[in-house]
Structure formats: structure tokens, C-alpha cells
Amino acid sequence: AASSCCENRNTYDDDVDMLWGDAQCLCDFYTHISTFLQVGDESLNGNCATAAGHRVKSRAWERPSLQKLYMQTGGENWRIKTGWLDERVSHCQWHGVTCNAQNIVTGINLRNNNLVGGPPSAVDSFPALIVLDLAGNKLTGSLNGTEFYKLRSLTHVDISMNMFTGHADMQFSSAIIYANYSYNRFSSAGFKRFNPAYEAMWSVDLRHNELDMEAEDFFRNVPLDVTELVLSKNALRGTFPDPFPSLGKLTRFAFDDNDMEGSIPLDFANFMDLAVLNLAGNHFSGSIPAGIGNLEKLVVLNVTSNRLGWSIPASLGKLEGVMEVLDLSNNMLEGRIPAEIGNLQETIVLLGANLLTPPAPIRVCKITTVKDDEELCPPEIKILEAFYLSFNGPEWVDNSLWLNDSVTYCSWFGVTCDEYDRSTVKLELGNNGLTGKLGTRVIDILSQLYKLDTLDLKNNDITGSIPTDIATLSKLSKLDLSRQKQGLVGGIPEEIADLGLSFLNLAHNRLEQTIPSVFGTLDEIKVLDLSSNEFSQSIPSELGRLKDTLLSLNLSSNKLEGWIPSELGNFEDIVLGMGGNDALFEPAPLSICLMPETDLMNDTRLCPPERNALRDIYISAKGGEWTKSSLWLDEYANHCLWFGVKCDEKDEFVVKLKLNSNGLSGTLSPNISSLSFLEHVDLSDNDIKGTIPTEIGRLSNLNFLRLCYNRFVGNKTNFGHDLKNLELLHLHSNLLSGSIASIGWPHKDRSSSYISDCGNPTEFEKSLGCDECTMCCNAQGDCYPDEDTSIQSLGWRNYVDFTWTVFASFFGTACFIAMISLGVDKYRNRNQNFLVAQHVKHGTADNDAKYALTMIGDDSVYQFFLGKSWVGWIICLATILAQFWILLLFVEAAEIDLSNDNTDLVYTWKCPRDQDECRDTAGLGWEGWLAFSILMVAHLLKDVINGTKMVILSGEERHAYRPRIRFFAGGTLLGAVSLFTFYVSVIYNEAIATSNTEVIVNSVVILFVCDIDELLCDILVSVNSDWVDSMCYQVHEESVAPVSEKNKNSDDDSILEEQNAKGNRDVEGLWHVVQILDKEVQTLRQNMDMLVEENTKLRRLSTPRGRGSQGGNTANKGSSETRSTATRTIGTQRKVAGALSVGPQGKAPPRQHSGTGLPPPKKERKTIPNSFSSKSYEVPTHRKGRRRLSDSSSSESSDSSSSGSSDSSSQSH
């Protein structure tokens, strides 16, 4: 560190053989660090001893050194060189040399003496030298710091106005306190903190050099006790160090004309002794520190030509009587000049070339250097003062700050200046007690305020009339002279129209005559208030030209008369006052009455309120496109004469609005609720869109509302609960969704009273919910009444629920019939002999079983009910369940649930566009139902009767329990299927049948379900006929009820004799029948022989030549078929004979059907010969009245099997 700080300090001289400069510098350095760091004792002692020895020795060299100085600086060319080099004269008497009493040189002053050359090294030989002044010469070169380092007593150095260059060491002497290096060419300068002069130096002057360095580097080691620091006109750059050195004794700081930037350090406010602060000619920005105003000794503040902004600190006004120069010009200061600056009346204040907001406060404008600045001090103050005196300003209610020198006139009460606070733009002195006359003089004064925009003098006591020269206020846009105590009089001069007024209020005066028609030329007017005057005659229609600008027009409370011009109706969003003019004709133009903010809205004479509501309906529904709209929106026509509108007898209130099929579109205005007496509304068959206004619910008198056949939308339609009188509501054929809220509909008895689109299919995911609707329509425009079915009226929820009741009734009825049959049987056989009864049972039980088989049908799987096979029973039950399940599908499809899209319900009603009532378009009449009944009776009655008979058989005691159960199950299910088919056909046709033929078609489809049992039987027979036979009924002893031992052992002779007598009579009758059958058997044998012979002939005819083999086969086949037929016939005879071969006397009793006394039913057989093959076709009469064709081979095969089985059974029996 020592080497770096003291390098280049040694001076080589032929006469001096030591490096004194180095030793002295090192001595100072080590002394400094020893004091502050407590190091370097040995180096300190050695260097300081060397420096001290040389200091003593050098005192003997003063005269030679002066001679050397003379020679080094071109002494022969000095301007003054008196005594120099004169051997006779003591060197203390040489020009510019000063010595003390001991003849030791203490001062050298060669100022302005034409010294030349480089830095004179000879001056280092004067250890007692105090003052060295070489200013104003032509010395050049650089100072390396050792030239004057031996001068330990030197305090003042002035080498200014030379041409020195390089680095300027400001402390080349340890005692220096004043150093003037100004007006040279130094490029850098600095201080050494270890130099003893650091703490003593108080003045540094480096102005007018070429210092080109960072300011922070210069101020790094600046002496803290310096009082004068002058660095003007250099090239110092950068910013001041932060924090700035604490130069507490600084009195003068000149840093002007450098290249500094950044902000002015706030630390300057702490230099309380500062008298001169010159920072001009730099690039400082930011604000002037407000604390500078607290420097009580500050005489000069010069910050001109910077970039300082913000406002002027008001604290500068505190320097009154101290500050002599305040130069803030040529910056970017803005805002208003603080009034406190007006305190500096004796100061040279320069404020020009800034961005300050004029005007300046009055006291500032009195400063000599400011008052002539028209930019800051405009002449309007005198104008306002004249106005103040014209209207007795001292007596105003509020005249605060007027003519107050401490503030700008822009701060006076009621005065508003422009954005620059220079020109008066507003005078707002309403309600302020101004008195005086409005005349030409006042207008002349105000006309000098060339930027006056607003003149508000309302509610004062100004008299007179409006002068014609008011037009000289060329910039005036707002004029308010309303509510003068005594009132302005006369008329309104037409010249006022020459002003570009946007606001004119002359209300509440005594102005009269007519309203100038030239007001129609006020193209910028927004507010025009002429109310409460005495204007007469008609309203000028020219005011209608102001439609694009006028926002408020008040002509109320005058004496206007005639028609209100319809041109005024062209205004939009205007506040219009017309009331209080009783002479105006009625009605007012419709367009005016429709204005939302007009006082005529409450004037029922000029503006009937219902007309406004009708107009809103017209606009919302695009009335310009209506088919008929005669007189609608006519400005002066009575609204009761408009097309489709009907009023009451007094033509006061609208009671009917009928605009159906009239091309309405757009939307329906909610203002329809304003027609509070409306009773009838028909807007159907149009194209109105949007939602249905809920405000309709306020029409409590409404009894008829048709909004159908439009395009209304919405998912929460709500009319409230105030429509108590409504009797008809049609909302169908729209696009409503969601639900319709309840309105408490009382007219459920009328199917066409409340209609909506609550049916299916719908255009939405879910149909419209309407719990109170009496008719529901679907997306196709078809409708259906939403009323309870006959089933629902009895308490059932739907047909499916009722079906279970039907099933229960079927079963209950069957049980009831069976019990009645049981009771009748018991009663009939109450006196019968037991043995006879048992004998009869053995003969009739099997016949009853066969009869049951005939009733249930041998071509149906129902016959399995009579068998004992569980498989057969399962097949029967599965078939029954399948039939019931299929029929249940029809039941579900027949449900009349208008909200369910899964039913087959056919919407047969139509609600025409032009009619109030809906009608049923279905063509189903009594003829169709009659045909339906015939079809049902023909197909189902027989099964019902047969099923009933089987249930009756199940109640007779001659059968065992198991057969009785089979009879009951088969009969019940047979009748249930038939009755349920009838029930399903009825409800399904009620739901979907629309014509007489369609009811028949639907019934046939449903009846086909009844054939499932027969079709399934045919399938099973085709698969395995033997298996089917095994599941069918077989004659078995279980057909006879078992006899108990007690009954067998009974021996009641009287009963037996009686029963035998009765039995003999029965046997005789049966034998008669056997004889008849025997004759029939003989006839059958003859027929058989004929058939065999005919068959032989056919075989011969059908055998071709050369193919005898094939013919033989055919003949054999025919013969086999013939024999099979004969065999079946004989077998039948044997079965009959065997069945009747009973009786105690050996006679064959005639056969009777149990319980009926009739022979069993027979099958009709027709035999049709064929020339190619012998086949017979059986056309049986089936239980359902239908005829089926089946191949005779299958029938014969079945007959053969049955015959064989019967023969076997008969022989076994």
C-alpha cells in the first residue's frame, strides 16, 4: 500500500544525493496507518528519520534554489525580475520573495510574471515556505507530487491560469489549506487521506480544467472540513456519491457546467453554512430537495439548465431577506408556483422556460423579475376585479379570496381557470347575493375573458333584460340566468342563437313574447329550460331540428297554446317538460307521450297511458310488418280507433285486443300489463318470439287469452295467481319448454279451456309440464284431452294397476261359480242312494273328463291342464303367462299418459287456428264398436262359456279332487284369457283407434294372441306327437271319487230299491240309443265297402303303362288308407258300445252328457275325392269360431292313434 501511494515521488538531482520525497511520503503514510491501525512502527521510524535529516540539510540551499528557479522558468524573460541574481542584494529582497526575521524564505509570489517551462523543482528547497503563488504564467507539464513535498510549512498554493496537465495532487504539502488549481488543463485530481493536510484543507478551486473522471472517484477522499469546493466548467460525470460526504463546514459549492446526472443529494440540506450552491448546466433530474429552504445562510441557489421536475418547494419562501439569487429557469418544473415564493420580493427570481402552471399568485407577479412574464401573470386579474365591483362584490354571500394577493385568481370563489391556470373559463356565482343590472357594460367586461365558457349567475338579484351584444361572448357554451329575484324582463334576443350554447337556462323569470324559432339552429344545445315564464303563442316546430343534440327541453308553466308539434316526438332519450300549459290541444303526439321522461306521462288528458302501452306492443311486435295496422301510431288519433283495439263504452279503457292472424312477429311487450282493464286478448296465429311476459299475470280482469300458434319460448312460464277471471288460456303450438307454473285453474270441466304443448312427441327432451292443462298438444299439432280416464275416476292410478284388479276379479268369480256349483250338486244329490251314486260316477266321470277335453280344445296346449304331466302343466302356465305378458304390453301402450312418449296413444283432437274450441277428429262411431262387439263375441264368448262350464264341473263331487283342480285351473285360465283379451281390446282401441275399420284391425291383432296355445300345440305335435299324447288326458280310475269302507258296508235296502228302479229306467233309455247307433254302424260298413271298391278303381286308373311297380305302391297306399279309415270307424262304434254297455239288465243305456242330458258335440267331416290320391280334409268347428285347414294325413294319423288308444282303454275297462 505504501509503495502504491508513494510511487513516482522520488526526484533525482545532481546536487541532492537522497530520495527525500520518498522518505517523507512514506513517513506520512506510516504515521497515518500507525495512528489508525497500530502497525508499521519500524518503517515509520526509519523513513521519518531520513526525511528529518534531509529537511535540516536543505535549509542551506535557499539562494541557490532561487537562482535555479530563475533559470528553470526563463527568468531573463520575466516581466519583473528586480534583484534577481544580483550578488549585492540579499535574496530576501528579490522580487516576489518574502523572508522572515531569520532571512528564511516564507513566500514566493511570481503571479503574472511570464514564467515558462515545466514545474519548477527548485522550490522544494524552502522548508519554511508558506505561500506559493505562480498564477497567471505559462508553466506547463504535469506535477508528480514531489516538487513541493519538502515544503512542510506551505499553506497557500495558487498555480491557477497556467497550462499544467495530468493529475493534480491537491495535497503536495502536509500543511496546505488553500489550493487554487483553476484554469489549467488537469485531467484528474485527488486527495490522500494519510496526508496531514487532509484535516486542515478548507479551500479547493479546480474550475476551468479538463477533469474527466467519475464524480464518485473525486469525492472519495475529499477533505471533510473543506469550506469552498469549486469544480465549475469541467467534464466530471456520473452521479454524486450516495451518501454524499459529510461536508459540514461547506459554504460554497460550485459544480456548474459539468456532465453530471441523477438527483441532487438530499444531504445538501444538512450543510447549514452553505451560502452558494451552483449546480447549473448539468443534467440533474428529480426534484429540488425541499430541505434546501431550511439553509438560512443560502444567498445563491442556481440550478438553471438542468432537467429538474416536479414542483417548486414552498420552503424556498423562507429565505426572505437572505437569498439574493434564485435561478430555477430552464428546467422541467411543473405545477403551480407556491404562494410562498411571493415572499422573495427583493430576490432575483428567474422562473422562465419551465412547465409551470400559470397564473402565478398575485404576490409572485409583483416580483420585479416575474411581473412582466405574461405567461405566468396574465392580465385577467384586472378584468375580474372590474366584474367584482360591478355586482357589489364586497356584499356577496361568499367572496372568499377575491382580490387576495396571496393566491392566484384561479383560487377565487366561483372562478375556474383552464388546465394551465391562466385563463378564466367558468364564472359560477349562483346563489351568491349578486346585485346589479345586466347591461352592455357588464357584457363588455365579460367579453374580455376570451376563454369564458360558463356563466352561471342563477338565483341572484340581477335585473334588466338580456342585451343583444351577449353574442360577443363568443366562447360561451353554458348560460344560466334563471331564478332572478325580481326576474329578467323582455324577450329573448335572437342574437343569442349566434352563440354555440350547449346549456341555456332562463327559467323562473318574467320573459315574454314568443320562443324564438331560431333556437332550432342551436346545433350544440343539450339543455334548454324556458319554464315558468310568460311565453305565449305556439311552440315553434323548428325545435324538432335539435333531435340529435337536445337532452332536456322544459317549456312547462307558460302560456303556450295550439298543437304540440309532432316534430318534438323525434327526440330520443330526452327529458321533456310540457305541463302547465292549459291551452295546448289534446291529445299530445303519441311519440311525445311515449318518451320515458316527460311530465305529460301523468297527464291523462294529453297522454292517455294505455296508448303508450299499445305503442310498445306495436314496436315490440314489429308493427310495420303487420297485415293490418290502420291508425296504429297515428300521432293524434284516439287509440280506441286503432285496428284490433276495442275500448269500453266511454272510450276510456281498452278491454279487447284482437290481433290474431295479423303477421305479428318480434316479441310481446311486458307493457301489456298497463292495459289493466283488458278482458280479451287474442294474438294467436302469428310469429311472436321470445318469452311470454310474466306481467300478463297482473291483468286481473282478463278472461280470454289466446297466444297459440306463435313461437314463444321459455322454460319457466309463470302467470302468477291473480288471473282469477280467466276462462280460456291457449298456449299450444309454441316452443315452450320446462314447465308452466300453477295458476289455480278452476275450469277443469272444459277440455278446450287450457291448452299447451304438454303432449308427445315433443321437440324437446322432455315434454312441457302443465299440471292444470285440460288439453295437451304435441309437436305434430295433434291434441288430446288431459282428463282422468274412467278407471282413474274410480281411484285407480292407471290401466296397469287396474289390471291386477281384473285378474283378482277373474279368480274370485271363478271361485264363486265353483262354490255355487258345489252347492247345487250337493243339493241335487242330497237323497241319492250311495251305491247308485257310486255306480253312476263310474260311468259318467270319464265322460265328463272327455267333455272337458272337448271344451278346452284338443288342439290347444290347454288340454295339458287335464293331464297329470307336470311338464304339460308348465307348458300351459308358460303359454298363459306369455299371453298375459303380451296383452300387458298392449295395456301399457294404451295408457293415457300425455307426458309419456312410450304409449301408442293417438292424439285425435284438433285445435284450429281460427276457433276457440277443439274438436275430436276420430271417425270411430257406434258402428265400429258394434262391429268390435260382434267380433269379440264371435271369437271369445265360446271360450268364456266353456271355461265357465269347466269351473262348474270342478264343483261337482262325483270327481276326485285332482280332476276337479284341473277342471278349475283350465276353466279359470281359459275364461280369464278370453275376458282379459276383451278388456285389453277395449282399452287399446279407446287409446289408438281413430276409425271404424281401425278398431277391427286392432282387435284382430290382439285376438291373434289367443291362438298362441293352438299354434304352440301344432308345433309340439310336429316335433313329437307321442310326447304330446303322453301329456294329454288319459282315462283312469282317478276320475271316480274313492269310496270309503264305511260307505261300502252300508246296507240301506230302501235306498237301493229306489235307486235300482230309477237306474232301470235310465238303462232302457240308453238301450234305445244303442239300437240307433247300431243302425249307423251298418251304414258305415256299407260306406266302407263302397270306399274300398272306389279305391280299387282309382288305383287302376292311376297306374301308367310301364310303371306298374309305382302304381302298385300307390294302390297299396290307397288301400291302406281305406282300411285305416274303416278301422277308425269300427273302433268308434266299439267305444260307443263299450261306453254304454252298463246296466243291471244287460241293456246298453243311451249315452248322455253329464249334467246336460245332451249328446256330446260332434265334428263334421267332409271327404273330397281326388283323382290322383285319396285324401280327406277335416273342417272342424273350433272353439273360437275360426276354421283351420290341416292335412288329412295328420288328422287320420291322430284319429288312428286316438282310436287305438280308445279301443285299448275300452277293452281294459
Side-chain angles (χ1 to χ4, degrees), residues 750-889:
R750 294 179 52 198
S751 60
S752 299
S753 60
Y754 189 178
I755 310 175
S756 73
D757 296 323
C758 49
N760 279 291
T762 177
E763 294 184 1
F764 301 96
E765 181 179 356
K766 187 177 180 182
S767 61
L768 177 67
C770 182
D771 296 334
E772 297 178 336
C773 286
T774 60
M775 182 78 69
C776 288
C777 298
N778 58 22
Q780 283 77 35
D782 300 323
C783 305
Y784 200 88
D786 189 5
E787 56 189 16
D788 291 342
T789 63
S790 57
I791 297 301
Q792 291 173 331
S793 63
L794 295 176
W796 281 275
R797 188 166 60 92
N798 50 38
Y799 285 130
V800 174
D801 288 351
F802 181 70
T803 298
W804 304 116
T805 304
V806 172
F807 288 157
S809 65
F810 290 163
F811 181 75
T813 302
C815 292
F816 177 76
I817 293 174
M819 288 187 293
I820 293 297
S821 175
L822 177 62
V824 171
D825 186 67
K826 284 182 176 293
Y827 178 79
R828 185 179 57 191
N829 299 324
R830 65 186 183 278
N831 298 321
Q832 188 176 15
N833 182 271
F834 174 77
L835 293 178
V836 175
Q838 288 297 110
H839 184 75
V840 173
K841 287 181 180 180
H842 281 279
T844 60
D846 194 42
N847 293 331
D848 287 346
K850 293 178 179 178
Y851 177 65
L853 178 62
T854 303
M855 287 186 291
I856 204 169
D858 58 357
D859 57 349
S860 169
V861 294
Y862 291 168
Q863 63 180 315
F864 297 162
F865 278 123
L866 303 179
K868 295 187 294 182
S869 172
W870 286 106
V871 176
W873 273 69
I874 292 173
I875 293 174
C876 289
L877 293 176
T879 304
I880 291 290
L881 292 176
Q883 288 175 310
F884 280 139
W885 174 70
I886 294 173
L887 292 174
L888 277 174
L889 294 179

Side-chain angles (χ1 to χ4, degrees), residues 1120-1146:
S1120 175
E1121 291 176 352
T1122 304
R1123 287 193 298 272
S1124 177
T1125 302
T1127 303
R1128 285 198 300 273
T1129 304
I1130 296 172
T1132 301
Q1133 179 183 4
R1134 290 175 179 175
K1135 286 192 289 182
V1136 174
L1140 299 177
S1141 59
V1142 293
Q1145 297 178 359

Side-chain angles (χ1 to χ4, degrees), residues 192-266:
K192 293 290 189 294
R193 192 178 292 270
F194 64 85
N195 195 303
Y198 176 79
E199 297 180 359
M201 198 168 195
W202 58 267
S203 179
V204 175
D205 190 348
L206 282 169
R207 59 185 160 178
H208 281 276
N209 274 282
E210 298 177 359
L211 298 180
D212 185 9
M213 59 186 299
E214 293 287 337
E216 290 187 358
D217 295 338
F218 178 83
F219 284 100
R220 181 173 294 114
N221 293 314
V222 64
L224 300 181
D225 291 335
V226 65
T227 59
E228 292 185 356
L229 188 57
V230 182
L231 299 170
S232 305
K233 298 186 183 302
N234 279 286
L236 293 170
R237 62 184 181 275
T239 60
F240 285 124
D242 186 17
F244 195 79
S246 181
L247 307 179
K249 297 180 180 180
L250 191 65
T251 61
R252 181 184 180 192
F253 186 76
F255 214 85
D256 52 297
D257 295 320
N258 278 282
D259 197 20
M260 296 295 292
E261 56 187 18
S263 59
I264 298 176
L266 299 177

Side-chain angles (χ1 to χ4, degrees), residues 432-446:
N432 203 38
L434 277 70
T435 59
K437 184 178 181 180
L438 180 63
T440 302
R441 180 178 177 277
V442 173
I443 299 301
D444 290 341
I445 293 174
L446 294 175

